[in-house]
Amino acid sequence: MEEARAVFEKIEFPNIFSWSIIIGACVDNGLARRALELYHWMDHQGVRLDMVVLINLVSACSSLGSLDHGRALEARITSMGFHLHPVVRNSLLNMYCKAGSVGDARKFFQDMAGDQSVVSWTAMISGFALHGREDLALDFFRKMVAEGVRPNEVTFVSILGACAAARDQGLDEQALRLFRVMDLEGHTPDEVTLVAALEACSNLNLLAAGKKLHELILDAGLDSSIVRNSLLNMYGKCGGLDEARRVFERCSDCRNLITWSTMIAAYSLNGDGRQALSLYKKMDLEGLKPDEYTFTSLLDVCSIAGDALAEGRALHRRLEAKGLEKKMVLATALVNMYGRYGQLEDALRVFEKMNHWNLVAWTALIAAFAQHGDVHAIDLSWRMHLEGVQADDIVFLSVLHACSHAGVLEAGLSCFQEMVADFGVRGGAAHYSCMVDLLARCGRVAEAEELLHSMPFEPAHMEMKTLLAACRVSGDTPRGARVARLASGLIPHDAAPYVLMSHAYAAVEKWDEVAEVRERMAKLGVKKPRGWSCVEVKNRVHQFFAGNFSWHSEAAEIEVELRRLQAVVKEGGYVPDTGQIGHRLEEDDKEDLLALHSERVAIAFGLLRVPAGLPIHVVKNLRVCSDCHAVAKIISRSVGRRIVVRDAYRFHRFENGTCSCGDYW
């Protein structure tokens, strides 16, 4: 471009062809403002404009989005009589569309009645899509087809891009239909149309359709780095983790930050947190610096993993070093991550440092307290209201969850009533489920059952199991049997209702009924999932199963520690809850089985290996039993350690002989 400019400036008296070439070169090279400056210089020289120069100048106005220059140019074109030429008219229409002037574009388009070509229709569709008016883009596309105007490749690129940007399920389906039409009509797909189609497959979870697109991409040789990144995203979101790995391996020569970040997100979405963190370390060694998207994915990984608090804290330190910890999306992800580990003080500290709080940030903080049954969630919801942020159904669900797990009945009832009466939020199935849970946990099992059958939704399996657990705790075996039959009818192969009922019968020594429940489980092929617990020590996760840990390299030390803890808890007033053992055994044998529950073994190992003063974090795949719950409380008081257990239902923070759940779980 500089050479062309130098040559032009040496011409003493440039003619219209010289001006046309230099102005066109400026437009082609992204120097739109310079093109307009040359136009004014040319005009000053008295050189008469021709149509080629005018079209280039309109393109310059389009690039700048300058309506003032564009309107002035349109007036000049009209005065010269070029305004009726189809190419000039389409150029002006395109300029108004790109500038985002919907009114001017519509009027200009209507004035072209009778001369509207596929180029005109496509200009309108592209302009609307460019400025986020996907609804208008689709409306014009439908009208275009109805008028019998055949779309060209540019039309398909524009409309597919609009569908992808809208992120609407209906438009995703439309995008795939349009892609098929484009293919049938013989138009060659490009990066934009392929990315739009892959995005639609991702949003609709259509793995098979995504694979067919992948085949088309390979056959056509269109697997550019952008398309490969879209393939990674599609496979990750659709559960095709093996395919995502293969695509990632093929990208070995062209991996960029987006490629690494998308693969990390794929592992995160598919529950493989360890692989995601491992890939992050490899990315770091490659010298690539994570961006906000990468950090957000990694924090989500740490949240989901359940045993990656150390990695989460390391990411937090890195964000602080970069000055990014106050960014809305990242700070919210940190609040969520700390909340999932029960580090509520840290979650609150991050929240308070944020520059401002939106609904998402408030929701993350309230949910953090709620999932631990901390009634501070109620106070936070009122504080949010006073800050002028309107609560939605998710916030109310979190507050109800907190009330349920803390056993605060009156606050829960008030919240449920205010949600509808004062805030106009209609309760959904999940809100009613929380109320059933709250009533059941507070011993109001008859009212819980009544609400279960009167709510404006079909009772779900989870509410049934909650009520069944409450019947077992309260000793209401007849009601429990009735609820168990209903629950097992909803999902016949779920072991939970059978196990709960079996234990309820065993607690009152109804062994014939226990045998009947087990016989039915055997007939249906229902098996109780094996209980396990894991604890992280020095970035390594140790998993223990109930009943046997002899395979562990430190089994002897763990056994000694378990005996020591058994003596400690007995001195602390522990009375074994042998009703938790649903087998006909001697009391001593039942006590021995309780002592080998996986969470106790994990806690014992944590006490051996987690440095003094640090909390012990345990993750359990099932609901923690009442006996282990009582033991953990006594251990926390006797040895002076905080123990955090995340079971299948909630977090339990044991400290100084108490649990954050207030013994409601």
Side-chain angles (χ1 to χ4, degrees):
M1 182 62 212
E2 289 302 320
E3 291 177 5
R5 184 177 171 182
V7 170
F8 176 79
E9 288 175 352
K10 287 179 181 177
I11 301 173
E12 189 172 356
F13 299 107
N15 59 22
I16 184 61
F17 300 109
S18 304
W19 285 105
S20 180
I21 290 167
I22 191 65
I23 289 173
C26 287
V27 173
D28 291 342
N29 286 275
L31 301 172
R33 200 168 296 281
R34 176 61 178 159
L36 291 176
E37 289 171 1
L38 286 168
Y39 156 58
H40 292 302
W41 183 17
M42 172 187 176
D43 206 26
H44 183 70
Q45 294 283 327
V47 181
R48 182 174 173 79
L49 300 171
D50 69 359
M51 195 168 70
V52 176
V53 172
L54 288 168
I55 290 170
N56 276 321
L57 291 171
V58 173
S59 295
C61 294
S62 297
S63 300
L64 293 171
S66 174
L67 278 174
D68 291 338
H69 282 103
R71 286 179 180 136
L73 199 57
E74 184 191 355
R76 184 74 180 271
I77 288 168
T78 303
S79 70
M80 295 178 69
F82 288 122
H83 63 292
L84 297 177
H85 195 286
V87 177
V88 176
R89 297 180 87 177
N90 283 325
S91 294
L92 285 166
L93 176 63
N94 185 57
M95 182 269 295
Y96 283 124
C97 289
K98 285 190 174 178
S101 179
V102 176
D104 284 325
R106 278 182 180 278
K107 183 178 183 304
F108 201 93
F109 183 80
Q110 288 163 0
D111 290 344
M112 291 174 68
D115 293 326
Q116 297 152 341
S117 65
V118 64
V119 176
S120 315
W121 285 95
T122 301
M124 292 295 289
I125 292 165
S126 300
F128 290 138
L130 180 66
H131 293 281
R133 295 303 306 271
E134 292 85 8
D135 54 336
L136 291 177
L138 280 161
D139 184 48
F140 258 77
F141 181 79
R142 294 187 190 104
K143 287 178 181 176
M144 173 186 175
V145 174
E147 291 281 339
V149 181
R150 195 180 182 87
N152 61 19
E153 287 186 17
V154 180
T155 317
F156 279 112
V157 169
S158 300
I159 195 64
L160 280 165
C163 290
R167 297 184 181 277
D168 176 90
Q169 182 174 337
L171 294 185
D172 286 326
E173 292 166 351
Q174 177 87 344
L176 288 179
R177 283 195 293 271
L178 287 169
F179 187 86
R180 293 188 193 104
V181 171
M182 184 185 80
D183 191 37
L184 289 170
E185 292 195 359
H187 296 295
T188 305
D190 65 357
E191 282 186 350
V192 175
T193 52
L194 287 169
V195 168
L198 287 168
E199 183 69 19
C201 291
S202 302
N203 296 337
L204 296 171
N205 197 26
L206 297 175
L207 181 59
K211 285 182 177 180
K212 286 183 179 178
L213 274 173
H214 192 178
E215 290 172 10
L216 185 153
I217 289 163
L218 293 176
D219 290 343
L222 295 170
D223 57 337
S224 65
S225 60
I226 293 173
V227 173
R228 285 181 186 178
N229 288 339
S230 292
L231 279 167
L232 268 179
N233 179 61
M234 181 275 295
Y235 280 128
K237 287 183 177 177
C238 294
L241 196 54
D242 290 337
E243 290 87 352
R245 284 195 196 98
R246 284 194 284 273
V247 172
F248 183 76
E249 292 304 320
R250 284 193 62 180
C251 296
S252 57
D253 58 336
C254 60
R255 288 176 191 159
N256 55 23
L257 181 59
I258 295 172
T259 313
W260 286 92
S261 299
T262 307
M263 191 64 221
I264 287 169
Y267 279 123
S268 172
L269 286 169
N270 289 276
D272 199 340
R274 282 291 145 198
Q275 280 292 343
L277 292 168
S278 173
L279 198 62
Y280 161 59
K281 290 171 185 173
K282 289 178 184 176
M283 184 185 97
D284 217 19
L285 291 172
E286 293 272 342
L288 286 164
K289 304 300 179 189
D291 61 5
E292 287 185 36
Y293 173 74
T294 320
F295 276 122
T296 304
S297 294
L298 288 165
L299 288 168
D300 287 343
V301 165
C302 294
S303 300
I304 295 164
D307 53 12
L309 179 59
E311 286 90 340
R313 289 195 185 281
L315 287 167
H316 188 181
R317 289 192 294 271
R318 193 162 182 180
L319 288 173
E320 285 180 323
K322 288 176 171 287
L324 296 172
E325 78 279 7
K326 293 182 182 179
K327 288 264 188 179
M328 178 67 71
V329 173
L330 292 169
T332 303
L334 281 168
V335 169
N336 180 57
M337 187 270 295
Y338 281 126
R340 293 293 288 268
Y341 285 98
Q343 307 299 300
L344 301 181
E345 298 87 349
D346 290 313
L348 190 57
R349 198 175 298 117
V350 170
F351 180 83
E352 296 293 359
K353 286 182 179 179
M354 293 170 72
N355 294 323
H356 69 282
W357 306 305
N358 62 8
L359 178 60
V360 178
W362 278 107
T363 302
L365 184 67
I366 291 168
F369 280 85
Q371 63 189 333
H372 293 278
D374 192 319
V375 290
H376 188 48
I378 303 170
D379 300 329
L380 287 169
S381 69
W382 278 109
R383 181 182 161 193
M384 181 186 83
H385 179 61
L386 293 173
E387 292 279 350
V389 180
Q390 179 73 35
D392 64 359
D393 58 327
I394 298 172
V395 171
F396 279 108
L397 183 60
S398 293
V399 174
L400 287 172
H401 186 84
C403 293
S404 169
H405 284 282
V408 284
L409 182 60
E410 293 305 318
L413 290 170
S414 296
C415 175
F416 191 72
Q417 291 163 1
E418 290 164 2
M419 176 179 74
V420 179
D422 298 340
F423 293 89
V425 176
R426 183 175 175 271
H431 300 85
Y432 278 88
S433 177
C434 269
M435 289 307 298
V436 170
D437 190 43
L438 174 58
L439 289 165
R441 288 175 190 274
C442 292
R444 309 265 281 266
V445 288
E447 292 170 64
E449 187 181 15
E450 184 182 345
L451 180 59
L452 186 75
H453 294 298
S454 65
M455 64 185 190
F457 306 95
E458 283 296 317
H461 197 235
M462 185 54 70
E463 292 97 83
M464 296 283 193
K465 289 199 288 188
T466 299
L467 184 54
L468 183 54
C471 291
R472 180 191 167 197
V473 171
S474 64
D476 193 340
T477 306
R479 192 187 306 276
R482 186 167 63 246
V483 174
R485 281 191 292 273
L486 286 170
S488 59
L490 285 173
I491 306 181
H493 295 284
D494 182 8
Y498 300 103
V499 173
L500 284 167
M501 204 60 242
S502 174
H503 283 183
Y505 283 134
V508 292
E509 298 188 346
K510 290 189 173 184
W511 300 112
D512 290 342
E513 285 82 351
V514 170
E516 186 182 326
V517 171
R518 288 178 181 163
E519 185 180 340
R520 190 175 177 199
M521 287 177 71
K523 276 185 180 178
L524 292 170
V526 178
K527 293 182 179 179
K528 178 185 175 183
R530 190 180 180 190
W532 57 259
S533 298
C534 59
V535 60
E536 184 178 10
V537 177
K538 293 182 179 178
N539 296 325
R540 183 185 166 196
V541 177
H542 297 259
Q543 188 176 39
F544 299 95
F545 292 91
N548 184 14
F549 55 88
S550 58
W551 50 269
H552 197 278
S553 59
E554 299 177 65
E557 292 177 77
I558 295 170
E559 188 174 353
V560 171
E561 180 66 6
L562 280 170
R563 285 203 209 98
R564 184 184 76 83
L565 289 175
Q566 190 73 347
V568 166
V569 296
K570 283 190 174 181
E571 286 178 14
Y574 165 64
V575 177
D577 182 5
T578 54
Q580 296 294 317
I581 304 297
H583 297 277
R584 209 168 190 173
L585 299 169
E586 296 296 328
E587 288 298 300
D588 288 348
D589 293 331
K590 289 183 178 181
E591 191 174 337
D592 290 341
L593 285 176
L594 288 171
L596 292 175
H597 275 191
S598 64
E599 54 265 60
R600 286 211 215 175
V601 181
I603 291 170
F605 184 72
L607 288 169
L608 285 172
R609 293 291 172 260
V610 176
L614 294 178
I616 296 165
H617 291 271
V618 174
V619 177
K620 181 175 173 61
N621 69 323
L622 303 175
R623 180 180 181 271
V624 65
C625 77
S626 59
D627 186 78
C628 290
H629 192 270
V631 165
K633 287 198 296 183
I634 298 171
I635 290 174
S636 72
R637 183 184 67 231
S638 301
V639 302
R641 294 287 287 272
R642 177 191 282 188
I643 301 167
V644 180
V645 178
R646 177 181 171 186
D647 72 5
Y649 291 86
R650 62 167 297 153
F651 283 86
H652 300 267
R653 285 181 297 138
F654 300 98
E655 196 166 13
N656 298 323
T658 62
C659 178
S660 59
C661 76
D663 297 339
Y664 286 94
W665 87 104

